[in-house]
Amino acid sequence: MNTFEMKTVIHFGENALERLKDIPYKRVLIITDPFVVQSKMIDLITEPLTRGGKEYDIFHNVVPDAPVDKIADGVKKFLSFQPEVVVAVGGGSAIDSSKAIREFALKINHYAEVGLIAIPTTSGTGSEVTSFAVVNDTEAKVKYPLVSDSLTADEAILDAELVKSVPPSITADTGMDVFTHALESYVSIDHNEFSSALAEKSIEICGVFLLRAYLDGSDMHARQKMHVASCLAGLSFNTAGLGITHSMAHQLGAMFHIPHGRANAMLLPHIVEFNANINKHSRSQKEYLPAVKRYANIAHILGLSNYNKVMSVRSLVNWIQFMLKEMNIPLTIQEIGTITPDAYFAAIDKMAEAALADACTPTNPRVPTKEDIIKIYTKLWSF
C-alpha cells in the first residue's frame, strides 16, 4: 500500500500574507535572517501580525546552511519566549533552521504543541511543505539531513511580493534547485502517480518561466509561477524522495560552500547521463534502464522530444547545460575560480563516502558505487 499525504495548508496568490492577521495564535516567534530585517522586508510580516493583535518576537541570527551553533542559539530564544507558533521567513536555511529549532526545543521542554508557518523568500527549496531539514556541522564539514513528519509546516504562505527583489544569480540557483527537485523526484524509485503529476507541472512551469524570472525580476507573473513551482516540487519530493544529485551537492556545500541550488545545477547533467547510462553504445541496446523513459517524458514536456529515447535524454542534458549558460551558472568546479585543484581532488574520496551514506541516495534510480561517485566528481572539475 502507498500513501500520499499533504499536511500543509497552502495560502498563495495576491495578498497571501494577509493570512497572518487571522492565524489562531497569540504569541509568535519569527525566525529569519539578518537581511530580511535590514531590508525592512520583515515589515510585510509584522504589519499584519500587529493588525491581528499578535504578540511577537524576532530571532534573526540565521545564516546559510543552518549551522548547529546558530540552531542552539535559536533554541535558547524559543525556550525563553515560549511561543504558540513559529513563523519561518526566508530561504531554505531559515526554514530548515526554524524546523530544527522547534524540533529540538520541544524535545527539551515537553509542553503543548507549537505550530509552524513557513513563508519562503526564495523560489527554490520547497522546504515550506516538506518533512526534511538539513543542518550543518561546520567543524566536521558535514551536512545532516533530518527527516520526520513532525518537521512539516502546518501552513505555508506563498506571496511573490517577498521574492521580487531576489537578484538574478539567486533566482538562477534557486530556480535550478526547483527543477532538480522535480526531476529527481520524477525518476526516483519511490515515485507515484501523485508525485509524478506534481513534478511534471513544476517542470512545465520551469520550462516557461524560469528564464523569464531570471531576465526580468520585476515580471511578477513569472515570479509567482516559480514560487508555485517550487512548492509543487517540494510536495513531489516529500513523498517520492530525491537522488544522488542532492547527495553529492550536500557534500560540495559542506566542503566548499557552493550554494546548494548551484551545486545541484552543476551536477544534474552528469547525473542524468549516469542514471540513464547513455553512452556511445546506447543505440544498440535492446533495453534501457527505467529512468530513460521517464527522462524522455520530461524532454517531451519541455518540447525537446527527438525521434528516439536516447536522443531525447541527450536533448534534456543539452537543455540543462543551455540553462546554466544562459543564467551564468558555472558548468565546472574549475570555472568557480575559488577552489584549487589540490583542495578539490583531496576531498573527493571523503565526499564520495558521505554521498553514498546520504539520506537521498537510496531512492536514486540507479544504484551507484563509490567509484561511480568519484568519477562524477572528477568529471565535474572541468571538461
Side-chain angles (χ1 to χ4, degrees):
M1 181 181 76
N2 295 324
T3 301
F4 179 80
E5 181 182 2
M6 286 176 55
K7 175 188 172 187
T8 308
V9 177
I10 301 164
H11 309 279
F12 64 101
E14 204 170 333
N15 297 319
L17 288 169
E18 281 297 296
R19 166 61 185 163
L20 290 170
K21 180 171 67 72
D22 301 317
I23 57 173
Y25 308 99
K26 285 293 183 186
R27 288 178 67 80
V28 180
L29 178 61
I30 302 168
I31 297 179
T32 190
D33 58 68
F35 174 78
V36 169
V37 175
Q38 291 160 10
S39 66
K40 304 296 185 185
M41 193 186 296
I42 194 71
D43 295 348
L44 294 170
I45 309 300
T46 58
E47 196 270 334
L49 288 175
T50 300
R51 281 192 284 112
K54 317 301 179 186
E55 182 183 347
Y56 65 83
D57 201 351
I58 302 172
F59 175 76
H60 57 81
N61 199 16
V62 168
V63 298
D65 294 328
V68 173
D69 59 326
K70 299 297 183 187
I71 288 168
D73 291 342
V75 170
K76 291 175 189 172
K77 181 76 166 182
F78 183 108
L79 294 173
S80 65
F81 184 67
Q82 299 214 350
E84 295 174 23
V85 66
V86 169
V87 173
V89 184
S93 296
I95 296 175
D96 282 4
S97 294
S98 301
K99 290 177 177 182
I101 288 166
R102 184 185 69 151
E103 186 82 353
F104 296 143
L106 291 178
K107 281 181 168 35
I108 294 168
N109 192 343
H110 302 281
Y111 56 85
E113 286 186 19
V114 174
L116 176 61
I117 298 172
I119 308 176
T121 60
T122 60
S123 305
T125 66
S127 188
E128 68 274 8
V129 289
T130 71
S131 56
F132 298 86
V134 178
V135 297
N136 188 19
D137 184 338
T138 50
E139 286 190 19
K141 294 189 174 181
V142 177
K143 285 191 174 184
Y144 297 102
L146 309 177
V147 186
S148 171
D149 286 342
S150 63
L151 294 172
T152 312
D154 302 293
E155 298 184 30
I157 299 175
L158 309 180
D159 196 318
E161 192 67 25
L162 293 167
V163 295
K164 69 179 182 182
S165 62
V166 172
S169 63
I170 296 178
T171 299
D173 290 348
T174 54
M176 287 306 297
D177 200 16
V178 174
F179 184 82
T180 305
H181 288 152
L183 186 61
E184 285 215 294
S185 66
Y186 190 73
V187 299
S188 157
I189 61 170
D190 284 350
H191 72 262
N192 56 58
E193 287 86 349
F194 295 96
S195 67
S196 296
L198 292 161
E200 285 177 359
K201 188 62 183 177
S202 179
I203 286 166
E204 179 190 318
I205 292 171
C206 288
V208 175
F209 292 104
L210 173 52
L211 207 50
R212 267 180 59 175
Y214 171 78
L215 293 170
D216 180 7
S218 62
D219 185 340
M220 293 305 289
H221 183 61
R223 288 288 201 192
Q224 184 64 42
K225 287 288 188 180
M226 285 303 300
H227 221 33
V228 170
S230 175
C231 189
L232 292 171
L235 289 167
S236 180
F237 83 75
N238 194 50
T239 184
L242 293 163
I244 60 170
T245 311
H246 272 76
S247 304
M248 295 178 69
H250 288 152
Q251 316 321 317
L252 290 172
M255 291 295 293
F256 300 109
H257 308 294
I258 300 172
H260 178 64
R262 178 164 296 199
N264 275 335
M266 294 169 69
L267 282 160
L268 191 57
H270 301 283
I271 306 302
V272 172
E273 288 180 338
F274 170 76
N275 286 340
N277 198 22
I278 296 296
N279 55 58
K280 61 185 178 182
H281 303 297
S282 294
R283 287 194 191 183
S284 59
Q285 288 176 231
K286 291 184 177 177
E287 291 185 17
Y288 299 108
L289 295 177
V292 171
K293 181 179 179 182
R294 296 189 72 76
Y295 283 135
N297 288 346
I298 295 305
H300 178 71
I301 288 169
L302 292 169
L304 307 173
S305 279
N306 272 284
Y307 58 88
N308 64 39
K309 290 185 177 67
V310 173
M311 291 304 295
S312 291
V313 174
R314 290 201 182 283
S315 293
L316 176 59
V317 171
N318 291 339
W319 183 86
I320 296 167
Q321 291 174 329
F322 163 80
M323 289 294 284
L324 267 57
K325 290 172 185 173
E326 288 294 299
M327 297 190 295
N328 291 310
I329 295 174
L331 272 72
T332 66
I333 298 294
Q334 190 176 34
E335 275 183 65
I336 295 173
T338 58
I339 301 167
T340 67
D342 288 349
Y344 182 72
F345 286 99
I348 283 180
D349 192 79
K350 181 183 177 183
M351 290 196 299
E353 290 274 4
L356 278 179
D358 191 277
C360 295
T361 297
T363 45
N364 196 69
R366 185 181 173 196
V367 178
T369 64
K370 183 179 175 182
E371 289 68 32
D372 291 328
I373 301 288
I374 288 172
K375 189 174 179 181
I376 295 167
Y377 274 135
T378 302
K379 284 172 67 178
L380 191 63
W381 172 256
S382 68
F383 284 117

